[in-house]
Amino acid sequence: DSGVTQTPKHLITATGQRVTLRCSPRSGDLSVYWYQQSLDQGLQFLIQYYNGEERAKGNILERFSAQQFPDLHSELNLSSLELGDSALYFCASSVGTIGSGEQFFGPGTRLTVL
Amino acid sequence: AQKVTQAQTEISVVEKEDVTLDCVYETRDTTYYLFWYKQPPSGELVFLIRRNSFDEQNEISGRYSWNFQKSTSSFNFTITASQVVDSAVYFCALSEGGGTASKLTFGTGTRLQVTL
């Protein structure tokens, strides 16, 4: 158990809908990262927050947005869902922001868009 | 831009065989960090090891060992006397240090199948 929690574990929805994925980092970790794992794209970095502020953006679609709240939990919002958004979404956390810190991953949320 | 290549898509071995998973990386930074993660069939990503670019010492942890060579930009992972429980997808990843963001760039993963 990494200490990172993600809810829900599974999510099934229809095209055009909007969903929210939630992540709670390990106690003491200030950075939260979101990654998408799909068969065709592999594991891709989406976005990073540190202590409530956005720090880095990867290949995140405009239909996707995220935020980190004062209690450090984070939410990833996916809207106007398409079939291709079906993937495993991971949240990870680390103590700081520099590259030396290992990131601990949550169990993931499996999103299926029908 | 940083890149990680894991050329081996899938490896099958018989239990007790040794197996090496290859990882080649590209980065322009002089300070960077390399990682290996394991993804068992249950799906979670499990951290295995971190190495920084200034430390080329090889590391051994039980049946696992890692060979980091800057000259060839490689960070290979060897499992000695493999076991069925080692069956998983293994990812090599790179993070560039020194900045205020530390995203991981992952390779495409190597699926290891260990059979009896």
Side-chain angles (χ1 to χ4, degrees), chain B residues 15-108:
Chain B
E15 203 176 39
K16 295 182 187 167
E17 284 185 14
D18 298 347
V19 58
T20 295
L21 310 182
D22 298 333
C23 172
V24 174
Y25 62 92
E26 294 175 33
T27 178
R28 291 182 187 157
D29 274 20
T30 54
T31 301
Y32 53 89
Y33 302 86
L34 296 162
F35 302 80
W36 276 94
Y37 283 84
K38 173 182 179 180
Q39 187 174 39
S42 52
E44 73 272 24
L45 280 165
V46 179
F47 166 77
L48 294 178
I49 191 171
R50 178 193 71 212
R51 218 78 190 117
N52 72 57
S53 52
F54 298 109
D55 184 2
E56 286 192 73
Q57 252 190 335
N58 292 331
E59 181 156 340
I60 298 174
S61 175
R63 296 185 297 107
Y64 296 170
S65 62
W66 290 269
N67 184 350
F68 174 32
Q69 291 193 343
K70 276 176 91 166
S71 60
T72 56
S73 297
S74 65
F75 185 42
N76 296 337
F77 173 29
T78 297
I79 301 175
T80 303
S82 60
Q83 298 176 1
V84 171
V85 293
D86 295 327
S87 297
V89 181
Y90 291 85
F91 291 94
C92 181
L94 167 69
S95 176
E96 289 170 342
T100 58
S102 55
K103 65 169 188 173
L104 289 172
T105 297
F106 285 89
T108 51

